[in-house]
Amino acid sequence: MIATDHRFPADTAVACFTSGSAGDPQLVMLSTKSQEYQYQATADRMGTDDTDRLCLPLPLSHAYGFSVLGMARLTGAQLWIESTSDAIAVLRRLTESGVTTLDGVPGLYASLLSCLERSPEKLPAFASLRFRGCGGEVLPPAIEALFARWGSPLHNGYGLTEAGPNVALNAPGHFYPGTVGRPLPGTELMIEGPRNELLVRGPGLMSGYFGSAQPALRSDGWLATGDQAEWHGPAVRIVGRLKHRIIIHGETIIPSDVEALLSHRCSVGQVVVDAVVDRRGTARIGAVVEAAGDPDLVRWRAVVRDLLPPVLRPRVVVPVCELPRLSNGKLDREAVRGLLSEHVPNRRQTVSKGGNCAN
């Protein structure tokens, strides 16, 4: 509930809403010191200076995009802001404007991958980028592997609005494939408890949530992120959201594990899985599949049968041209659940042909 006093604390420099992907959006207050630290630490890790040309197909109303704007102002780098995360427009910008760094969510890079496969002559402009930043949600391993195979690795990173937002970041000279990189200098990370929850502490953290009387941080200064993580040497890998779990027949399933396997082994784009309840009240796994055309669902069933045990096999498959996304480019899991609910199987039906993908 918003307090009746609508004034921000005196040291508030920025207020950003969370994306709402884990619940109702909350307004996060960030101090001047927090933002000064963020811009400088991120620029130092990326090696950004006034010779760089940044392309930003992200909304400035969210923390990720706004942090890139702040870093550009600090370093004097040129900045091109794209109004949409349109892969064709981004590729045009890369080929025409001498861009050196690009930032985007995994969905943008999935679209870029499709464009580059159709127009390989544009790959040199993408490959010549000094920095290809990726964040906002878990990066599907299949997408990461394909870009790496082209000699154009994605510099995956991790952050959240409450942390200012950047926490860890891969960059040239600081690259750890399969992870979100090392924490920024001055930021501490800890993986706690049997659930392996990632905790963050450092100068970039928020002052609090606007209108909330509850403490934003623990008494020892740590922020509980709600994300599950594991160490890979000095770098960290994000497994997924702790709250986002599927329970099927009493077994707890991590969706990102199933998604990674299906995206990698099936000849389709990104795959998103979630629970769906059939008309008998039985919980099943459903999958929404991003595909440029109608996927071969017979082959899909065969691959899934060979790849996964029965409890992990999607019983509903909905092909779509594009996955539903929030305004900041993140995956809209509520909309995914809605798509799956619309195609709940009758009796023994296992695959829906009711997706909205054009032939």
Side-chain angles (χ1 to χ4, degrees):
M1 185 177 214
I2 299 296
T4 55
D5 187 348
H6 294 282
R7 293 172 295 182
F8 288 106
D11 66 342
T12 303
V14 176
C16 287
F17 279 103
T18 59
S19 64
S21 58
D24 292 334
Q26 292 183 286
L27 187 57
V28 173
M29 299 180 294
L30 300 165
S31 69
T32 300
K33 287 185 177 181
S34 161
Q35 295 304 277
E36 289 176 347
Y37 161 77
Q38 278 284 323
Y39 304 153
Q40 190 65 62
T42 304
D44 290 346
R45 173 62 57 83
M46 290 175 53
T48 305
D49 59 27
D50 60 2
T51 65
D52 275 304
R53 298 183 174 191
L54 284 57
C55 180
L56 181 63
L58 291 167
L60 300 182
S61 56
H62 293 276
Y64 185 0
F66 192 83
S67 71
V68 176
L69 172 63
M71 186 186 63
R73 293 180 62 188
L74 172 71
T75 61
Q78 296 183 49
L79 177 64
W80 278 271
I81 301 172
E82 297 293 335
S83 58
T84 64
S85 295
D86 180 79
I88 295 176
V90 169
L91 279 177
R92 185 182 303 117
R93 177 66 69 188
L94 299 188
T95 56
E96 295 176 355
S97 302
V99 169
T100 60
T101 85
L102 171 67
D103 273 280
V105 296
L108 169 68
Y109 287 103
S111 298
L112 284 171
L113 185 63
S114 298
C115 288
L116 291 169
E117 287 176 331
R118 294 193 303 269
S119 305
E121 72 278 1
K122 296 180 180 179
L123 180 58
F126 182 84
S128 66
L129 291 170
R130 187 182 64 79
F131 179 83
R132 291 167 287 271
C134 183
E137 58 191 6
V138 175
L139 174 64
I143 294 177
E144 184 175 19
L146 281 171
F147 279 114
R149 199 176 305 155
W150 285 348
S152 309
L154 302 185
H155 299 100
N156 198 13
Y158 169 76
L160 62 164
T161 307
E162 291 89 338
N166 299 318
V167 171
L169 183 65
N170 278 300
H174 302 269
F175 187 59
Y176 300 85
T179 77
V180 294
R182 294 163 51 199
L184 295 176
T187 292
E188 300 175 76
L189 300 184
M190 179 169 62
I191 297 175
E192 182 183 68
R195 301 194 307 165
N196 292 334
E197 182 173 11
L198 183 66
L199 307 183
V200 180
R201 184 167 66 181
L205 297 186
M206 64 177 173
S207 307
Y209 294 112
F210 181 66
S212 175
Q214 296 183 350
L217 310 176
R218 298 194 331 190
S219 59
D220 53 6
W222 289 98
L223 170 69
T225 66
D227 290 314
Q228 186 179 27
E230 57 189 26
W231 287 108
H232 279 236
V236 68
R237 185 176 84 89
I238 303 299
V239 177
R241 293 291 295 172
L242 285 168
K243 290 183 178 179
H244 189 214
R245 295 291 184 267
I246 299 173
I247 299 177
I248 305 291
H249 303 312
E251 183 174 343
T252 300
I253 297 166
I254 301 174
S256 58
D257 290 346
V258 181
E259 292 165 355
L261 280 171
L262 293 177
S263 296
H264 181 65
R265 292 289 297 275
C266 300
S267 299
V268 294
Q270 189 174 352
V271 179
V272 182
V273 303
D274 215 314
V276 61
V277 178
D278 66 20
R279 286 176 168 77
R280 297 177 181 177
T282 304
R284 309 281 190 180
I285 287 184
V288 177
V289 180
E290 192 171 56
D294 284 341
D296 186 344
L297 296 181
V298 174
R299 181 179 179 277
W300 166 277
R301 287 196 293 270
V303 171
V304 168
R305 187 168 53 249
D306 293 340
L307 186 64
L308 298 173
V311 71
L312 297 183
R313 295 172 190 165
R315 304 298 178 175
V316 183
V317 180
V318 182
V320 296
C321 290
E322 294 183 358
L323 291 170
R325 297 191 176 275
L326 300 168
S327 61
N328 60 355
K330 288 186 179 182
L331 182 68
D332 187 344
R333 287 195 175 269
E334 286 297 324
V336 166
R337 294 185 190 104
L339 283 171
L340 292 173
S341 296
E342 292 173 5
H343 299 94
V344 172
N346 289 310
R347 297 184 181 88
R348 302 185 64 84
Q349 179 186 353
T350 58
V351 177
S352 168
K353 295 185 178 180
N356 59 359
C357 208
N359 291 324

